mmCIF file of all heavy atoms in Angstrom:
data_model
loop_
_atom_site.group_PDB
_atom_site.id
_atom_site.type_symbol
_atom_site.label_atom_id
_atom_site.label_comp_id
_atom_site.label_asym_id
_atom_site.label_seq_id
_atom_site.Cartn_x
_atom_site.Cartn_y
_atom_site.Cartn_z
ATOM 1 N N CYS Z 229 -26.048 2.742 8.687
ATOM 2 C CA CYS Z 229 -24.573 2.587 8.672
ATOM 3 C C CYS Z 229 -24.086 1.969 9.976
ATOM 4 O O CYS Z 229 -23.181 1.128 9.979
ATOM 5 C CB CYS Z 229 -23.899 3.946 8.476
ATOM 6 S SG CYS Z 229 -24.064 4.588 6.814
ATOM 7 N N SER Z 230 -24.722 2.393 11.075
ATOM 8 C CA SER Z 230 -24.324 1.882 12.374
ATOM 9 C C SER Z 230 -24.616 0.381 12.482
ATOM 10 O O SER Z 230 -23.777 -0.394 12.956
ATOM 11 C CB SER Z 230 -25.063 2.670 13.447
ATOM 12 O OG SER Z 230 -24.797 2.148 14.693
ATOM 13 N N ASN Z 231 -25.807 -0.023 11.994
ATOM 14 C CA ASN Z 231 -26.159 -1.452 12.027
ATOM 15 C C ASN Z 231 -25.186 -2.276 11.186
ATOM 16 O O ASN Z 231 -24.744 -3.345 11.589
ATOM 17 C CB ASN Z 231 -27.578 -1.680 11.491
ATOM 18 C CG ASN Z 231 -28.612 -1.206 12.494
ATOM 19 O OD1 ASN Z 231 -28.296 -0.965 13.650
ATOM 20 N ND2 ASN Z 231 -29.855 -1.040 12.041
ATOM 21 N N ASP Z 232 -24.884 -1.758 10.008
ATOM 22 C CA ASP Z 232 -23.952 -2.484 9.128
ATOM 23 C C ASP Z 232 -22.576 -2.622 9.773
ATOM 24 O O ASP Z 232 -21.947 -3.682 9.698
ATOM 25 C CB ASP Z 232 -23.816 -1.766 7.775
ATOM 26 C CG ASP Z 232 -24.926 -2.177 6.815
ATOM 27 O OD1 ASP Z 232 -25.708 -3.078 7.169
ATOM 28 O OD2 ASP Z 232 -25.016 -1.584 5.717
ATOM 29 N N PHE Z 233 -22.129 -1.552 10.396
ATOM 30 C CA PHE Z 233 -20.796 -1.585 11.003
ATOM 31 C C PHE Z 233 -20.769 -2.588 12.166
ATOM 32 O O PHE Z 233 -19.817 -3.362 12.308
ATOM 33 C CB PHE Z 233 -20.404 -0.178 11.471
ATOM 34 C CG PHE Z 233 -18.925 -0.035 11.759
ATOM 35 C CD1 PHE Z 233 -17.971 -0.478 10.850
ATOM 36 C CD2 PHE Z 233 -18.487 0.546 12.944
ATOM 37 C CE1 PHE Z 233 -16.608 -0.352 11.111
ATOM 38 C CE2 PHE Z 233 -17.127 0.679 13.214
ATOM 39 C CZ PHE Z 233 -16.190 0.231 12.305
ATOM 40 N N THR Z 234 -21.866 -2.613 12.930
ATOM 41 C CA THR Z 234 -21.957 -3.573 14.039
ATOM 42 C C THR Z 234 -21.949 -5.007 13.492
ATOM 43 O O THR Z 234 -21.261 -5.888 13.995
ATOM 44 C CB THR Z 234 -23.260 -3.336 14.851
ATOM 45 O OG1 THR Z 234 -23.261 -1.982 15.253
ATOM 46 C CG2 THR Z 234 -23.348 -4.252 16.047
ATOM 47 N N LYS Z 235 -22.727 -5.211 12.430
ATOM 48 C CA LYS Z 235 -22.803 -6.547 11.812
ATOM 49 C C LYS Z 235 -21.416 -6.973 11.316
ATOM 50 O O LYS Z 235 -20.997 -8.115 11.516
ATOM 51 C CB LYS Z 235 -23.798 -6.492 10.645
ATOM 52 C CG LYS Z 235 -24.104 -7.815 10.032
ATOM 53 C CD LYS Z 235 -25.357 -8.394 10.655
ATOM 54 C CE LYS Z 235 -25.325 -9.886 10.724
ATOM 55 N NZ LYS Z 235 -26.195 -10.462 11.711
ATOM 56 N N LEU Z 236 -20.728 -6.059 10.649
ATOM 57 C CA LEU Z 236 -19.392 -6.395 10.125
ATOM 58 C C LEU Z 236 -18.478 -6.864 11.262
ATOM 59 O O LEU Z 236 -17.798 -7.893 11.140
ATOM 60 C CB LEU Z 236 -18.781 -5.168 9.422
ATOM 61 C CG LEU Z 236 -17.336 -5.330 8.944
ATOM 62 C CD1 LEU Z 236 -17.226 -6.409 7.874
ATOM 63 C CD2 LEU Z 236 -16.771 -4.016 8.414
ATOM 64 N N LYS Z 237 -18.505 -6.134 12.351
ATOM 65 C CA LYS Z 237 -17.641 -6.504 13.486
ATOM 66 C C LYS Z 237 -18.027 -7.882 14.033
ATOM 67 O O LYS Z 237 -17.151 -8.697 14.336
ATOM 68 C CB LYS Z 237 -17.734 -5.432 14.589
ATOM 69 C CG LYS Z 237 -17.072 -4.120 14.157
ATOM 70 C CD LYS Z 237 -17.030 -3.100 15.261
ATOM 71 C CE LYS Z 237 -18.360 -2.414 15.416
ATOM 72 N NZ LYS Z 237 -18.353 -1.309 16.387
ATOM 73 N N GLU Z 238 -19.351 -8.094 14.104
ATOM 74 C CA GLU Z 238 -19.837 -9.393 14.601
ATOM 75 C C GLU Z 238 -19.328 -10.544 13.734
ATOM 76 O O GLU Z 238 -18.820 -11.547 14.229
ATOM 77 C CB GLU Z 238 -21.360 -9.431 14.519
ATOM 78 C CG GLU Z 238 -22.065 -9.092 15.809
ATOM 79 C CD GLU Z 238 -23.570 -8.951 15.572
ATOM 80 O OE1 GLU Z 238 -24.133 -9.680 14.703
ATOM 81 O OE2 GLU Z 238 -24.146 -8.093 16.222
ATOM 82 N N VAL Z 239 -19.508 -10.395 12.412
ATOM 83 C CA VAL Z 239 -19.119 -11.497 11.514
ATOM 84 C C VAL Z 239 -17.601 -11.710 11.541
ATOM 85 O O VAL Z 239 -17.130 -12.847 11.493
ATOM 86 C CB VAL Z 239 -19.609 -11.261 10.057
ATOM 87 C CG1 VAL Z 239 -19.436 -12.523 9.223
ATOM 88 C CG2 VAL Z 239 -21.062 -10.852 10.036
ATOM 89 N N LEU Z 240 -16.841 -10.633 11.645
ATOM 90 C CA LEU Z 240 -15.384 -10.784 11.741
ATOM 91 C C LEU Z 240 -15.036 -11.588 12.997
ATOM 92 O O LEU Z 240 -14.192 -12.487 12.953
ATOM 93 C CB LEU Z 240 -14.699 -9.411 11.783
ATOM 94 C CG LEU Z 240 -14.615 -8.651 10.455
ATOM 95 C CD1 LEU Z 240 -14.162 -7.210 10.681
ATOM 96 C CD2 LEU Z 240 -13.669 -9.331 9.475
ATOM 97 N N GLU Z 241 -15.717 -11.249 14.090
ATOM 98 C CA GLU Z 241 -15.442 -11.960 15.355
ATOM 99 C C GLU Z 241 -15.835 -13.436 15.256
ATOM 100 O O GLU Z 241 -15.062 -14.306 15.649
ATOM 101 C CB GLU Z 241 -16.184 -11.293 16.513
ATOM 102 C CG GLU Z 241 -15.450 -10.059 17.003
ATOM 103 C CD GLU Z 241 -16.346 -9.059 17.724
ATOM 104 O OE1 GLU Z 241 -17.307 -9.487 18.392
ATOM 105 O OE2 GLU Z 241 -16.069 -7.844 17.595
ATOM 106 N N GLN Z 242 -17.053 -13.662 14.679
ATOM 107 C CA GLN Z 242 -17.508 -15.060 14.534
ATOM 108 C C GLN Z 242 -16.479 -15.884 13.771
ATOM 109 O O GLN Z 242 -16.283 -17.066 14.016
ATOM 110 C CB GLN Z 242 -18.809 -15.115 13.730
ATOM 111 C CG GLN Z 242 -20.069 -14.994 14.562
ATOM 112 C CD GLN Z 242 -21.251 -14.569 13.694
ATOM 113 O OE1 GLN Z 242 -21.222 -14.700 12.471
ATOM 114 N NE2 GLN Z 242 -22.274 -14.063 14.350
ATOM 115 N N ASN Z 243 -15.851 -15.260 12.790
ATOM 116 C CA ASN Z 243 -14.927 -15.997 11.923
ATOM 117 C C ASN Z 243 -13.463 -15.829 12.332
ATOM 118 O O ASN Z 243 -12.552 -16.125 11.539
ATOM 119 C CB ASN Z 243 -15.150 -15.582 10.466
ATOM 120 C CG ASN Z 243 -16.458 -16.144 9.961
ATOM 121 O OD1 ASN Z 243 -16.569 -17.329 9.683
ATOM 122 N ND2 ASN Z 243 -17.479 -15.294 9.914
ATOM 123 N N LYS Z 244 -13.283 -15.303 13.524
ATOM 124 C CA LYS Z 244 -11.944 -15.201 14.131
ATOM 125 C C LYS Z 244 -10.945 -14.420 13.274
ATOM 126 O O LYS Z 244 -9.775 -14.804 13.137
ATOM 127 C CB LYS Z 244 -11.401 -16.593 14.471
ATOM 128 C CG LYS Z 244 -12.351 -17.369 15.368
ATOM 129 C CD LYS Z 244 -11.698 -18.478 16.115
ATOM 130 C CE LYS Z 244 -12.591 -19.069 17.183
ATOM 131 N NZ LYS Z 244 -14.029 -19.162 16.865
ATOM 132 N N ILE Z 245 -11.464 -13.347 12.659
ATOM 133 C CA ILE Z 245 -10.524 -12.435 11.986
ATOM 134 C C ILE Z 245 -10.342 -11.240 12.920
ATOM 135 O O ILE Z 245 -11.285 -10.482 13.173
ATOM 136 C CB ILE Z 245 -11.051 -12.005 10.602
ATOM 137 C CG1 ILE Z 245 -11.170 -13.233 9.705
ATOM 138 C CG2 ILE Z 245 -10.129 -10.941 9.981
ATOM 139 C CD1 ILE Z 245 -11.628 -12.959 8.297
ATOM 140 N N ASN Z 246 -9.129 -11.113 13.475
ATOM 141 C CA ASN Z 246 -8.888 -10.040 14.445
ATOM 142 C C ASN Z 246 -8.876 -8.692 13.757
ATOM 143 O O ASN Z 246 -8.344 -8.554 12.655
ATOM 144 C CB ASN Z 246 -7.535 -10.249 15.134
ATOM 145 C CG ASN Z 246 -7.566 -11.471 16.011
ATOM 146 O OD1 ASN Z 246 -8.628 -11.821 16.544
ATOM 147 N ND2 ASN Z 246 -6.430 -12.135 16.131
ATOM 148 N N TYR Z 247 -9.432 -7.683 14.428
ATOM 149 C CA TYR Z 247 -9.444 -6.336 13.864
ATOM 150 C C TYR Z 247 -9.355 -5.321 14.989
ATOM 151 O O TYR Z 247 -9.583 -5.663 16.160
ATOM 152 C CB TYR Z 247 -10.721 -6.105 13.048
ATOM 153 C CG TYR Z 247 -11.954 -6.072 13.920
ATOM 154 C CD1 TYR Z 247 -12.377 -4.880 14.519
ATOM 155 C CD2 TYR Z 247 -12.667 -7.232 14.196
ATOM 156 C CE1 TYR Z 247 -13.485 -4.857 15.359
ATOM 157 C CE2 TYR Z 247 -13.772 -7.210 15.035
ATOM 158 C CZ TYR Z 247 -14.177 -6.028 15.615
ATOM 159 O OH TYR Z 247 -15.258 -6.013 16.461
ATOM 160 N N LYS Z 248 -9.074 -4.086 14.574
ATOM 161 C CA LYS Z 248 -9.117 -2.984 15.528
ATOM 162 C C LYS Z 248 -9.898 -1.874 14.841
ATOM 163 O O LYS Z 248 -9.698 -1.648 13.634
ATOM 164 C CB LYS Z 248 -7.666 -2.540 15.789
ATOM 165 C CG LYS Z 248 -7.502 -1.563 16.906
ATOM 166 C CD LYS Z 248 -6.048 -1.122 17.026
ATOM 167 C CE LYS Z 248 -5.952 0.328 16.616
ATOM 168 N NZ LYS Z 248 -4.630 0.828 16.360
#
Side-chain angles (χ1 to χ4, degrees):
C229 287
S230 175
N231 287 346
D232 275 354
F233 196 49
T234 305
K235 187 95 212 158
L236 174 64
K237 290 186 281 186
E238 263 171 34
V239 191
L240 285 169
E241 280 157 33
Q242 271 160 19
N243 288 285
K244 304 201 169 37
I245 297 182
N246 292 330
Y247 68 87
K248 189 184 111 194

